[in-house]
């Protein structure tokens, strides 16, 4: 019989790496350090397309505003600082300031009534907020303007009894009084919800800790709850002022010539200048709301100091940082 061949496989050819050698074969030069590798940022073509489209649209709008003779920018410049327009602007500022103060005070009282333990105060506060948030402001102003038809005189005295002092409602309710009262009543309903939301935003543990220390309820509210609630109340109410500034344009319907009222009156006298007069009112309202928006930004930034670790940069700080980075890039490019 012939010899039986060895059934073991032939050994692999020696190529510099054995079958059991765990080290990988040499595939080329080792890569350089990570700092020498160039990082390619992710591209966003959609963002660039959207940016170009927005810039084109803005350029078309600006070109139309400048070149369209219908806007009559020469008449706009004539009316913008006229004394009659500035008088209406002062009335707008006066009505806004008084309505903001009285509306906030009324909102604080309504919010405290809503949060009280008295069911009567809770119901009355809820009913007030529900009613005045449901009635349009123009309807409220017109109702107050005709209030003398329902009550020609007002008096002070014993309830359901004799009257000691009487007032003539027609002499008492002037146009500016009607405007301030109407705006304040409407503003108090919205301010009440802002104040109530700010108080409810305070963690319940703060109330429990103050109660555990045996502090009086007034002291708890004044020293513990109110400072924390202001972080939410103040920025939101400053935002509410922007709507109040625009709402003052409705007082024209109660014969008070504010900024919008003066513009409407001048437009009736000078029908050829209606568009530039409307642009005058628009620009002044934009200026007023922009000032309030700047105040709102810094108020929110101030009250956010306890809730964020790093304060965001202001627009001026961002501009300075951008200019410094641009100078650094220009200097680095000049050295190459």
């Amino acid at each position: 019989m012939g010899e039986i061949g060895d059934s073991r496989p032939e050994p692999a050819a020696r190529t510099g790496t054995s079958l059991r050698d765990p080290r990988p074969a040499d595939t080329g030069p080792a890569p350089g350090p990570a700092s020498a590798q160039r990082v390619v940022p992710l591209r966003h073509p959609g963002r660039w397309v959207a940016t170009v489209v927005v810039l084109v649209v803005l350029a078309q709008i600006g070109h139309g505003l400048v070149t369209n003779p219908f806007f009559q920018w020469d008449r706009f410049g004539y009316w913008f600082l006229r004394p009659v327009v500035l008088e209406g602007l002062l009335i707008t500022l006066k009505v806004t300031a008084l309505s903001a103060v009285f509306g906030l005070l009324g909102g604080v009282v309504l919010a405290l009534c809503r949060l009280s333990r008295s069911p009567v105060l809770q119901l009355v506060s809820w009913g007030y907020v529900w009613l005045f948030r449901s009635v349009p402001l123009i309807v409220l102003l017109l109702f107050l303007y005709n209030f003398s038809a329902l009550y020609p005189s007002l008096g002070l005295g014993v309830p359901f009894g004799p009257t000691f002092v009487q007032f003539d409602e027609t002499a008492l309710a002037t146009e500016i009084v009607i405007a301030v009262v109407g705006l304040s009543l409407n503003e108090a309903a919205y301010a009440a919800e802002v104040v109530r939301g700010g108080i409810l935003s305070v963690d319940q543990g703060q109330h429990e800790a103050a109660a555990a220390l045996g502090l009086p309820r007034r002291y708890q509210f004044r020293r513990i709850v109110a400072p924390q609630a202001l972080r939410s109340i103040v920025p939101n109410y400053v935002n509410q002022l922007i709507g109040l500034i625009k709402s003052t344009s409705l007082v024209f319907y109660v014969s008070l010539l504010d900024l919008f009222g003066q513009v409407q009156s001048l437009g009736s006298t000078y029908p050829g200048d209606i568009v530039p007069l409307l642009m005058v009112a628009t620009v002044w309202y934009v200026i007023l709301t922009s000032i309030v928006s700047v105040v709102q930004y810094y108020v929110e930034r101030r009250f956010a100091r306890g809730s964020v670790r790093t304060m965001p940069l202001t627009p001026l700080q961002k501009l300075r940082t951008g200019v410094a980075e641009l100078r650094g890039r220009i200097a680095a490019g000049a050295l190459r």
Side-chain angles (χ1 to χ4, degrees):
M1 295 178 59
E3 295 182 359
I4 300 176
D6 191 358
S7 61
R8 292 178 299 177
E10 293 291 334
R14 297 184 180 273
T15 57
T17 303
S18 64
L19 292 176
R20 297 183 180 181
D21 191 356
R23 294 176 298 177
D26 189 8
T27 57
S35 59
Q37 297 180 8
R38 182 172 179 269
V39 179
V40 179
L42 183 63
R43 302 185 183 277
H44 301 276
R47 183 187 303 172
W48 287 102
V49 172
T51 302
V52 172
V53 171
V54 170
L55 290 177
V56 170
V57 172
L58 291 178
Q60 289 181 337
I61 294 175
H63 181 266
L65 289 174
V66 173
T67 59
N68 193 340
F70 194 68
F71 287 104
Q72 305 180 52
W73 292 111
D74 56 336
R75 301 299 297 170
F76 169 85
Y78 172 80
W79 288 112
F80 188 70
L81 295 176
R82 298 295 295 177
V84 63
V85 175
L86 296 180
E87 290 176 3
L89 178 63
L90 291 177
I91 293 177
T92 296
L93 294 175
K94 183 178 180 179
V95 171
T96 301
L98 293 175
S99 302
V101 173
F102 293 142
L104 180 59
L105 294 177
V108 171
V109 173
L110 290 170
L112 295 179
C113 292
R114 183 78 179 275
L115 297 173
S116 69
R117 298 180 180 179
S118 172
V120 175
L121 295 180
Q122 292 180 9
L123 182 61
V124 171
S125 176
W126 179 87
Y128 180 97
V129 174
W130 167 76
L131 177 63
F132 283 93
R133 289 203 305 177
S134 302
V135 177
L137 180 57
I138 182 62
V139 175
L140 176 61
L141 291 173
L142 292 177
F143 182 83
L144 293 176
Y145 188 67
N146 297 280
F147 192 74
S148 59
L150 298 174
Y151 299 97
S153 62
L154 301 175
L156 296 176
V158 179
F160 310 105
T163 302
F164 302 130
V165 182
Q166 285 191 348
F167 304 95
D168 185 7
E169 202 275 336
T170 56
L172 184 64
T174 60
E175 287 81 4
I176 192 169
V177 170
I178 293 173
V180 172
V181 170
L183 290 173
S184 299
L185 292 174
N186 181 78
E187 191 71 12
Y190 293 92
E193 292 300 290
V194 172
V195 175
R196 187 174 70 91
I199 295 176
L200 293 178
S201 66
V202 179
D203 188 78
Q204 187 64 27
Q206 300 291 323
H207 299 270
E208 297 174 354
L213 293 174
L215 301 177
R217 291 182 60 87
R218 293 183 179 179
Y219 189 86
Q220 294 178 24
F221 179 80
R222 187 175 69 254
R223 304 292 295 181
I224 298 177
V225 178
Q228 299 182 63
L230 286 175
R231 183 181 300 170
S232 174
I233 294 173
V234 174
N236 291 329
Y237 190 71
V238 173
N239 183 56
Q240 188 72 19
L241 292 180
I242 296 178
L244 179 60
I245 292 174
K246 296 183 292 185
S247 298
T248 56
S249 60
L250 297 176
V251 301
F252 166 71
Y253 295 98
V254 295
S255 302
L256 183 62
L257 296 180
D258 66 324
L259 175 61
F260 180 73
Q262 293 287 8
V263 167
Q264 284 287 90
S265 179
L266 292 173
S268 301
T269 306
Y270 302 92
D273 291 347
I274 292 179
V275 172
L277 285 170
L278 290 177
M279 293 299 297
V280 167
T282 300
V283 172
W284 273 119
Y285 281 121
V286 169
I287 292 174
L288 295 179
T289 55
S290 299
I291 294 174
V292 176
S293 298
V294 172
V295 174
Q296 177 191 1
Y297 173 80
Y298 283 98
V299 168
E300 291 181 352
R301 191 173 185 272
R302 177 178 178 81
F303 279 91
R305 290 184 300 178
S307 59
V308 296
R309 295 184 177 182
T310 304
M311 295 298 298
L313 299 178
T314 63
L316 183 58
Q317 292 174 342
K318 291 181 180 179
L319 179 61
R320 292 176 178 175
T321 303
V323 172
E325 292 179 354
L326 181 60
R327 289 179 177 177
R329 292 178 181 178
I330 293 175
L335 293 176
R336 292 180 180 178

